[in-house]
Amino acid sequence: MGVMSRRVLPACSSLCYFCPSLRARSRQPVKRYKKIISEIYQLPADGEPNDRRIGKLCDYVSRNPTRIPKITEYLEQRCYKELRHDNFTLAKVVPCIYRKLLRSCKEHTPLLATSTLCIVRTLLDQKSSDDLQILGCLLLVDFLDGQVISVAHTNLDLIYFLDTCHLLIFKLNVYIG
C-alpha cells in the first residue's frame, strides 16, 4: 500500500469532517487591509504615497465599514511606531491616508472620528517637525470640514487645537516672510 500525502490525511492520522487542517483556505479570514497598507508604505523615490493605492484602501473601507476600527487601530499603531523611530517620512503617510478617507468616506466619518482626533493631537504635539504639525492642521481642517458644528464642538477640545493651529500659522508666516 502506498503512502498518503499530508494533504489528504492530516497529521493526527484521522479523517474527520470538522478537522481544521482539511478546511478550505478561502474560509480563513484574510487581512486584505494590512496588505493594502503595506503597499501604500512602499514609497517611491519622490517620497509621496501612491494615491491609487490609498484610493484602493478607501474603496475597501467603503465596502467593509465593519473593519474600520481595526484599520484605524492598525494605522494609529503604525504612525506611533514611525514617530518613535523618528522616521518622519513614513509618519507623513498616515495623515495622507486619513485625509483621503475623510474626503471619500463621508458616511463613515463617525467611525473615523476618534482615531482621527488622536492622530491630529499626536501630530500637533510633534514640536521637532513643522511638516508634521502642518499635516496635523490640514487633517484637522479636513475633519472639521465634514462635521456639523454641534458635533465638532462635542467631539474635540477646539480651543487646544485652534490655539496650536494659530501658533503654527504664525510660525509658518514668520518662516516664509
Side-chain angles (χ1 to χ4, degrees):
M1 186 150 181
V3 177
M4 289 182 96
S5 75
R6 289 180 69 135
R7 289 184 182 178
V8 177
L9 196 61
C12 65
S13 301
S14 65
L15 193 59
C16 75
Y17 178 72
F18 298 108
C19 185
S21 65
L22 294 177
R23 192 178 319 157
R25 286 277 181 213
S26 63
R27 296 187 64 193
Q28 294 178 357
V30 177
K31 306 266 190 300
R32 293 188 200 285
Y33 65 91
K34 287 188 177 180
K35 181 177 183 264
I36 296 170
I37 292 172
S38 68
E39 288 175 354
I40 293 171
Y41 267 93
Q42 296 171 357
L43 297 178
D46 64 355
E48 292 294 318
N50 191 337
D51 282 338
R52 187 182 62 79
R53 290 178 179 156
I54 295 175
K56 197 191 246 187
L57 181 66
C58 292
D59 291 341
Y60 179 82
V61 165
S62 64
R63 282 182 279 131
N64 301 304
T66 56
R67 299 253 187 230
I68 291 176
K70 289 183 179 183
I71 293 170
T72 55
E73 180 182 341
Y74 184 72
L75 284 172
E76 281 183 60
Q77 296 303 319
R78 187 76 189 247
C79 182
Y80 296 148
K81 177 184 142 193
E82 300 304 338
L83 289 174
R84 256 194 328 268
H85 296 298
D86 292 333
N87 195 349
F88 297 131
T89 305
L90 290 178
K92 292 176 187 177
V93 172
V94 173
C96 294
I97 294 172
Y98 271 96
R99 290 183 71 200
K100 186 96 172 195
L101 280 172
L102 288 171
R103 279 189 242 123
S104 65
C105 303
K106 290 189 185 252
E107 64 275 4
H108 303 302
T109 302
L111 295 171
L112 295 165
T114 306
S115 178
T116 303
L117 295 176
C118 288
I119 293 293
V120 166
R121 185 174 294 269
T122 303
L123 292 174
L124 291 178
D125 287 339
Q126 297 299 313
K127 304 295 184 205
S128 60
S129 175
D130 288 339
D131 291 342
L132 288 176
Q133 288 182 328
I134 291 170
L135 280 173
C137 285
L138 292 174
L139 182 57
L140 179 63
V141 167
D142 285 345
F143 175 73
L144 291 176
D145 188 39
Q147 293 288 312
V148 178
I149 295 300
S150 62
V151 174
H153 284 293
T154 59
N155 278 346
L156 53 103
D157 184 13
L158 278 177
I159 295 170
Y160 170 76
F161 286 120
L162 293 178
D163 282 344
T164 307
C165 287
H166 284 288
L167 207 141
L168 185 63
I169 290 169
F170 176 74
K171 282 171 61 177
L172 187 62
N173 286 337
V174 169
Y175 181 72
I176 291 173

